[in-house]
Amino acid sequence: MPPPVTLDGVGYAFGEGALRRPVLRSLDLTVAAGELVLLTGPSGSGKTTLLTLIGALRAMQDGSCRVLGQELRGASEVARVALRRRIGFIFQNHNLLAFLTARQNVAMSLELHPDFGDEGKRLAAADAILDQVGLSDFTHVVPAKLSGGQRQRVAVARALVARPGLILADEPTAALDRQSGHDVVHLMRDLAKKSGMPILLVTHDPRILDVADRIVSMEDGRIVA
Amino acid sequence: MTPWLPFRLAWRQLRAERARLLSAIAGVMFACVLVFMQLGFRSALFDSATALPQALDGDLFLVHPLTTALFRPESFPRVRAFQTLASPEVSVAVPIYMAQAIWRNPVNGSHRAIQLIGFDTEAGAVNFPGLPALIPALKRPDTIAFDWKSRPEFGPVAALLSERGPFKVQIANREVEIVGTVALGASFGADGNAVMSETNFRRLVSERKVGNTDLVALRLRPGADTAAVQRQLTALLPRDVRVVTHAELVAWERNYWETATPIGFIFAFGSLMGLVVGMVIVYQILFADIASHLAEYATLKAMGFSGGYLRLVVMGAAGILAGLGFVPGVLASIGLYDVVAKATLLPLRMDPNRGFLVAALIFAMCATAGLLAMRKLRDADPADMF
């Protein structure tokens, strides 16, 4: 079985002509099945751009990027949307829908999956994963009434509930205090390890480096370590 | 993906912002009421403009082809009425005479043109409410029946009648006695009406050719085929008359007011304004809902929700607003019709066809607002999320 993520000579630049500014230069990276890879580096080193390319949120420019068996070079918008459904995203901000309760937010990501055809199944799966992230008492609460750590745990539950083949997280602890950040990352790792989901996590946060299987450092669009 | 899921999301989103939802519903309701009132007034004015042809009781009518509206008819030889009797299916042919003359207000003496309608009152060709009881009195020389729905400038005739009984007024420099009232209604062409016998009409309007009439009402024998008789008479009679059915006569009159006057345009324009205002309000609400949820919408896109799903959410919200605004709008309009009808004597009432038309307009209005607001979705770019 090929690894979930294989990057081969990936390059990316913003702007045109004289304003063209490369952010990724001929970059190679592999994430193995079940591996937690932590991506660090100074601001502007291209970590986030790399994450958006792997997450099929951006069209490729140079090189080859295979994610969960899908070649993203020249992939159509339809193919990219289909791939995104197999990836769990966790953002710096929770981005939960304010007018939905925790379980409704989690259940929504299952609307795209044919295995969860009816609302009952979706809500049951949502309740189960909210229980695993320790929020069984908050399933009917709207995000505004949760703490920052609780909201991010709902976001983790939302990303993991559909059992994605890959989890992409961007600074998931940036908005949290030390203890909440530690809890969220460990929770994420434990849940992912249980079902063998690989995680690619971009972070500046030195407090969470201990969760990683492997740490990749980037600078000026290249991997340096 | 089942199509009701985006619809449900739209409803949950609308429901979360009560004040915004209520103002949107109020906007749709406002547009709805405005359109209903404009279309209602339009239809009521056309109805009252055609009160005279509607009150005429005949199966077929003869009119001159150049007659554009009944308040200024083109006259034709009265002998056409008697020629129709050659058809065994025609049982009665009643010439109706019309002219305008100067009426002098019995209270203050001011002048105003009044529509005179003369015919054989016993022939049963005209159906004005109140007329049957006055038929014996109208046989006397120089008597008329006054239309109490005439404009008030003609004087408080009905009040004077009930106060002192029949009294004399001056029409076309001749004294006539008012013996009672009928109900007909002022139209755009005539501010008031006076009904009288054929003989009394000739006494008031002496200068016209005796052999001419303005309109002929025909009654057919029971069971006669109206369309067949119409074809037969059209073939038989010279080209100076047209044979029309009652519905055609009413439609002819109505068509004149719709096409030859700006009335139709004015009300269509008023309705359009209402729809534009409603559209802008709904657009603002939908736009604000998208703009304040851009990050969440972009997240949904990142999770693999298609642009189509999000567009359905916006259109779902537009549809919900249309429905929630239309229902109270139609109820308020029914109530307002009643109030305005009592105040103005205009025949305003809710008509199912108009209800369907306005419902379609309101949904189209909200759909347009939705399509415009949807463009904002392009700003929800998942690549900006990280």
Side-chain angles (χ1 to χ4, degrees), chain A residues 118-140:
Chain A
D118 72 273
E119 186 70 1
K121 269 189 190 170
R122 287 193 287 268
L123 288 174
D127 286 344
I129 194 141
L130 282 169
D131 183 43
Q132 289 182 53
V133 300
L135 291 174
S136 50
D137 294 338
F138 298 90
T139 53
H140 291 274

Side-chain angles (χ1 to χ4, degrees), chain B residues 72-85:
Chain B
R72 47 167 191 241
E74 194 77 25
S75 50
F76 57 87
R78 184 172 55 160
V79 68
R80 300 288 172 260
F82 310 127
Q83 284 172 328
T84 62
L85 295 172

Side-chain angles (χ1 to χ4, degrees), chain A residues 48 51-52 57-58 81 84-85 89-91 95-97 99-100 104 108-109 111-112 119 122 158 170, chain B residues 1 5 8-9 12-13 16 293 295-296 299-306 309 381-383 385-386:
Chain A
T48 297
L51 211 60
T52 57
L57 302 176
R58 220 181 261 290
V81 169
R84 279 183 225 156
R85 296 182 182 179
F89 289 94
I90 299 165
F91 305 97
N95 292 335
L96 298 171
L97 290 165
F99 51 88
L100 297 183
Q104 287 170 344
M108 242 203 101
S109 69
E111 283 181 16
L112 299 168
E119 186 70 1
R122 287 193 287 268
R158 177 171 67 171
D170 185 40
Chain B
M1 185 179 84
L5 288 172
R8 183 183 66 174
L9 189 70
R12 285 174 168 174
Q13 177 165 343
H293 290 106
E296 288 85 348
T299 305
L300 292 178
K301 276 192 185 172
M303 284 160 58
F305 284 90
S306 61
Y309 186 101
D381 182 2
M385 284 319 298
F386 282 124

